[in-house]
């Protein structure tokens, strides 16, 4: 009898490639079926039972009941992240409407927190496809995430890096995405996700070469982004940052009262 492979949702952004590189290159292919989706779709399909494991926006851990976070790998930033940007064509005090990237959920909450706590601003928020020029036609500012943000011409706009803004607010790193699993799935598979990340970091030259060509980005920028801007370990400081983010999102009414972080394979 053939055992069905576990379905894993992978975000097809550069920031996620090191975590998923092992799976992309066939590591544990006999056990996992990989699907490449935008982050919001990974969360929705994990919620609906169409996936067993997914790399999901960190806020969705609080919105989807009973998920367990796989410890170790994550997508985080300690200072500037470069790929989660508030882009404005006017000074922030003049922003009345903010276009939110339709692929974003964690950053959509983060930008509201930053604008509220750091600037005392509460613009009307509308959801848009990730096209900066189109987003700014009827909105003064836009939230752009992932690969499109890496292509922003910063000489044309006011640009605010949201990980850096979070750091100034809290002194903590920010966790954008985590591997999460449905109940009964994660126990015993945690090591495979750590192996995938270690495989990606061990083959960084190949990863940079392939992704820089695919995205038409300078290989130096890609390497710096993956090694200097991003971090991939859900350590104690990252967990503290995650909890603080959930608390502040709750204060703004963006999630219910936060549940404790529940890690797969770790006794409560």
């Amino acid at each position: 009898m053939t055992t069905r492979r576990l379905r894993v949702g992978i975000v097809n952004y550069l920031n996620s490639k090191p975590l998923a590189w092992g799976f992309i290159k066939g590591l544990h292919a006999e056990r996992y079926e990989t699907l490449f989706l935008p982050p919001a779709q990974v969360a929705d399909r994990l919620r609906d039972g169409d996936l067993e494991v997914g790399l999901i926006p960190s806020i969705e851990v609080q919105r989807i009941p009973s998920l367990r976070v796989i410890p170790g790998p994550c997508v985080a930033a300690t200072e500037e992240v470069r790929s989660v940007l508030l882009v404005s064509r006017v000074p922030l005090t003049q922003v009345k409407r903010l276009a939110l990237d339709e692929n974003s959920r964690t950053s959509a909450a983060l930008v509201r927190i930053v604008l509220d706590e750091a600037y005392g601003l509460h613009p009307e928020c509308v959801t848009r496809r990730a096209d900066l020029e189109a987003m700014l036609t009827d909105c003064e500012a836009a939230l752009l995430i992932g690969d499109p943000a890496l292509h922003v011409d910063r000489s044309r706009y006011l640009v605010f890096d949201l990980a850096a803004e979070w750091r100034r607010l809290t002194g903590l790193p920010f966790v954008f995405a985590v591997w999460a699993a449905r109940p009964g799935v994660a126990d015993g598979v945690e090591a495979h996700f750590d192996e995938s990340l270690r495989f990606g970091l061990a083959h960084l030259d190949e990863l940079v070469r392939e992704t820089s060509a695919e995205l038409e980005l300078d290989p130096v920028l890609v390497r710096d982004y993956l090694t200097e801007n991003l971090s991939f370990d859900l350590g104690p400081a990252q967990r503290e940052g995650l909890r603080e983010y959930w608390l502040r999102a709750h204060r703004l009414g963006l999630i219910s009262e936060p549940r404790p972080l529940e890690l797969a394979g770790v006794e409560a």
Side-chain angles (χ1 to χ4, degrees), residues 170-189:
T170 67
L172 294 168
F174 192 83
V175 178
F176 290 96
V178 296
W179 286 117
R182 291 179 59 81
V185 171
D187 290 342
V189 305

Side-chain angles (χ1 to χ4, degrees), residues 37-60:
L37 302 162
Q41 288 188 31
V42 174
D44 289 345
R45 294 184 67 166
L46 189 63
R47 178 199 63 208
D48 295 341
D50 295 330
L51 300 171
E52 279 76 48
V53 185
L55 187 64
I56 65 169
S58 59
I59 199 165
E60 294 297 293

Side-chain angles (χ1 to χ4, degrees), residues 16-254:
S16 308
K17 290 291 176 69
L19 279 77
W21 200 246
F23 297 122
I24 292 170
K25 294 301 179 178
L27 194 68
H28 301 299
E30 75 288 349
R31 179 134 191 197
Y32 300 102
E33 175 188 356
T34 56
L35 295 89
F36 296 89
L37 302 162
Q41 288 188 31
V42 174
D44 289 345
R45 294 184 67 166
L46 189 63
R47 178 199 63 208
D48 295 341
D50 295 330
L51 300 171
E52 279 76 48
V53 185
L55 187 64
I56 65 169
S58 59
I59 199 165
E60 294 297 293
V61 175
Q62 292 294 331
R63 292 174 173 165
I64 303 173
S66 304
L67 290 184
R68 301 186 75 190
V69 172
I70 294 175
C74 71
V75 178
T78 301
E79 301 289 345
E80 289 189 4
V81 69
R82 291 177 70 169
S83 59
V84 180
L85 304 177
L86 172 60
V87 182
S88 182
R89 55 183 172 82
V90 299
L92 285 186
T93 54
Q94 298 176 24
V95 173
K96 304 301 181 186
R97 281 166 55 90
L98 170 63
L100 302 176
D101 188 327
E102 66 182 1
N103 294 313
S104 173
R105 291 189 179 166
T106 288
S107 301
L110 176 59
V111 72
R112 288 180 170 96
I113 293 169
V114 167
L115 288 175
D116 173 70
E117 297 190 15
Y119 299 97
L121 301 174
H122 306 91
E124 176 190 358
C125 293
V126 295
T127 302
R128 293 283 188 269
R129 185 171 61 86
D131 178 334
L132 183 60
E133 294 296 329
M135 295 167 92
L136 293 177
T137 56
D138 64 342
C139 295
E140 293 81 18
L143 166 69
L144 207 61
I145 71 166
D147 300 344
L150 294 172
H151 289 276
V152 170
D153 181 354
R154 293 177 178 234
S155 67
R156 295 181 58 194
Y157 306 103
L158 296 172
V159 177
F160 301 84
D161 185 293
L162 290 183
E165 294 286 332
W166 172 260
R167 182 76 181 191
R168 278 191 284 272
L169 269 179
T170 67
L172 294 168
F174 192 83
V175 178
F176 290 96
V178 296
W179 286 117
R182 291 179 59 81
V185 171
D187 290 342
V189 305
E190 302 90 351
H192 296 164
F193 292 85
D194 187 57
E195 287 172 23
S196 179
L197 172 60
R198 286 191 281 112
F199 184 91
L201 297 178
H203 294 83
L204 191 62
D205 289 344
E206 174 192 13
L207 194 161
V208 168
R209 183 172 61 252
E210 290 190 18
T211 56
S212 60
E214 175 190 348
L215 298 173
E216 299 181 345
L217 289 170
D218 185 334
V220 174
L221 182 152
V222 171
R223 181 178 290 275
D224 287 350
Y225 173 62
L226 295 176
T227 59
E228 302 295 331
N229 296 105
L230 296 177
S231 60
F232 301 103
D233 177 36
L234 190 62
Q238 285 74 23
R239 296 179 195 183
E240 183 181 353
L242 196 53
R243 295 183 186 101
E244 185 64 27
Y245 167 63
W246 289 336
L247 285 172
R248 295 183 187 222
H250 172 59
R251 287 176 199 155
L252 278 185
L254 302 175

